[in-house]
Amino acid sequence: MKIVFFGAGNMASAIFTGMIEKGTVKAEDIYITSKSNRVAAMEFKESLGVNVSYDDAELCKDADYIVLASKPQNFTDVAERIRPYLEKKTKLISVMAGIHIATIQEEAGMENAVARIMPNTNAMVQYSVNGIAFSDDFDNKDELIELMASFGKNVVIGEEGMDNITAATGSGPAFLYYIYEQYAKSLEELGFSKEDAEKLTRNLVIGTGKTLSERPESFEQLRTDITSKAGTTEAGLDTLSEFKLQEMISKTLGSARDRSKKLSER
């Protein structure tokens, strides 16, 4: 199997690193190209053993999958590069937010099967949440689903749901990292050193995630289990509720969803 990545940014590297670490795809079967980040591409070649090439004909020849992982605004240029060499058997996999399947097929110049995927950078540790939408002519969907299962959990959705999944899980890690960052800063305000604040926050998050992976109860039940009447946790939660956290999160996700929709206006 030959998988080609046009782009070697955070998302692309998370995907191919996850595939290699899991053993789903051999490093020598992965090809990457990135004209804007040649240094990173060579670093991946040295550290992982992937192939690096800037010969578009070589990249497209006998490719089973081409992963379009460039910035959305650069897609037209990428499409022009691959159009002369694209083979009918090659399936196009888009990681670009906001670019519709019909647009990809039109600009690629051939009626290749297309899947839009929205993983997140947790793919690097095999814990991504992946949204997948297929074109009607995409055969052997199970193969792609299995490939993506090597670095996370999959949710197959219609294309109309891609803007929502982009906001919810594609951008989700960054939103959570921001919350953790603010938590650590608040621990510093309590008097902890920066080092201890980061260590405490990191291990709190890891431990809570471990609990979630092993306990099936709802978030509400898990929260209730550690909230004693008139205790410290209840006092903190009462204050937290005053800041309308749920409303802030809804607006955050809404902004990300709307930007994804905006990107599709071509």
Side-chain angles (χ1 to χ4, degrees):
M1 180 182 295
K2 180 179 179 180
I3 304 178
V4 182
F5 287 79
F6 277 79
N10 290 336
M11 194 67 81
S13 62
I15 294 172
F16 61 68
T17 300
M19 286 180 173
I20 293 168
E21 293 292 331
K22 191 73 171 181
T24 307
V25 180
K26 295 178 180 178
E28 57 263 33
D29 292 332
I30 292 177
Y31 292 71
I32 62 174
T33 186
S34 177
K35 290 188 175 181
S36 64
N37 206 348
R38 291 176 181 249
V39 173
M42 291 307 299
E43 289 176 349
F44 290 127
K45 177 180 174 67
E46 294 173 6
S47 63
L48 297 174
V50 299
N51 303 281
V52 175
S53 174
Y54 295 96
D55 182 335
D56 294 329
E58 177 191 15
L59 289 167
C60 293
K61 182 177 175 57
D62 294 327
D64 295 288
Y65 294 98
I66 289 179
V67 181
L68 302 168
S70 64
K71 294 179 180 179
Q73 58 267 33
N74 295 336
F75 171 59
T76 298
D77 292 337
V78 173
E80 289 179 356
R81 287 171 53 191
I82 67 174
R83 191 181 299 129
Y85 311 111
L86 197 57
E87 299 176 5
K88 178 60 180 175
K89 75 161 190 172
T90 304
K91 295 180 173 67
L92 303 178
I93 312 301
S94 171
V95 193
M96 303 176 296
I99 308 297
H100 291 165
I101 288 173
T103 301
I104 295 169
Q105 290 179 320
E106 178 182 351
E107 296 207 17
M110 293 181 69
E111 295 182 356
N112 289 69
V114 175
R116 288 181 63 187
I117 67 174
M118 183 47 61
N120 59 40
T121 52
N122 291 339
M124 193 171 292
V125 292
Q126 292 90 51
Y127 269 89
S128 178
V129 181
N130 310 314
I132 316 174
F134 294 101
S135 62
D136 293 337
D137 57 350
F138 200 107
D139 61 2
N140 198 8
K141 297 176 183 178
D142 289 343
E143 182 178 74
L144 180 61
I145 290 172
E146 184 177 351
L147 282 172
M148 295 185 65
S150 67
F151 54 85
K153 302 293 185 182
N154 298 317
V155 179
V156 178
I157 56 177
E159 189 173 21
E160 68 278 0
M162 288 302 292
D163 293 321
N164 290 335
I165 203 77
T166 297
T169 61
S171 300
F175 301 150
L176 294 177
Y177 289 144
Y178 182 77
I179 292 172
Y180 306 154
E181 179 185 356
Q182 305 314 309
Y183 198 95
K185 288 180 179 178
S186 295
L187 291 187
E188 288 185 61
E189 293 177 0
L190 285 179
F192 291 101
S193 68
K194 180 178 178 62
E195 180 181 0
D196 284 345
E198 296 238 350
K199 183 187 299 182
L200 288 168
T201 302
R202 186 178 293 266
N203 283 281
L204 179 63
V205 172
I206 292 170
T208 304
K210 180 68 172 175
T211 298
L212 287 173
S213 71
E214 296 184 358
R215 293 185 59 181
E217 296 94 328
S218 67
F219 298 135
E220 180 181 8
Q221 184 61 55
L222 291 169
R223 171 177 55 80
T224 301
D225 286 348
I226 57 174
T227 306
S228 301
K229 186 67 175 176
T232 57
T233 304
E234 184 179 73
L237 288 170
D238 287 345
T239 300
L240 190 60
S241 66
E242 294 174 6
F243 288 92
K244 299 181 179 179
L245 180 62
Q246 194 275 329
E247 181 180 342
M248 287 190 290
I249 293 174
S250 287
K251 289 182 177 179
T252 298
L253 296 177
S255 295
R257 176 205 58 209
D258 293 345
R259 178 59 60 84
S260 179
K261 289 182 177 179
K262 187 70 175 177
L263 288 171
S264 69
E265 297 175 2
R266 300 170 63 83

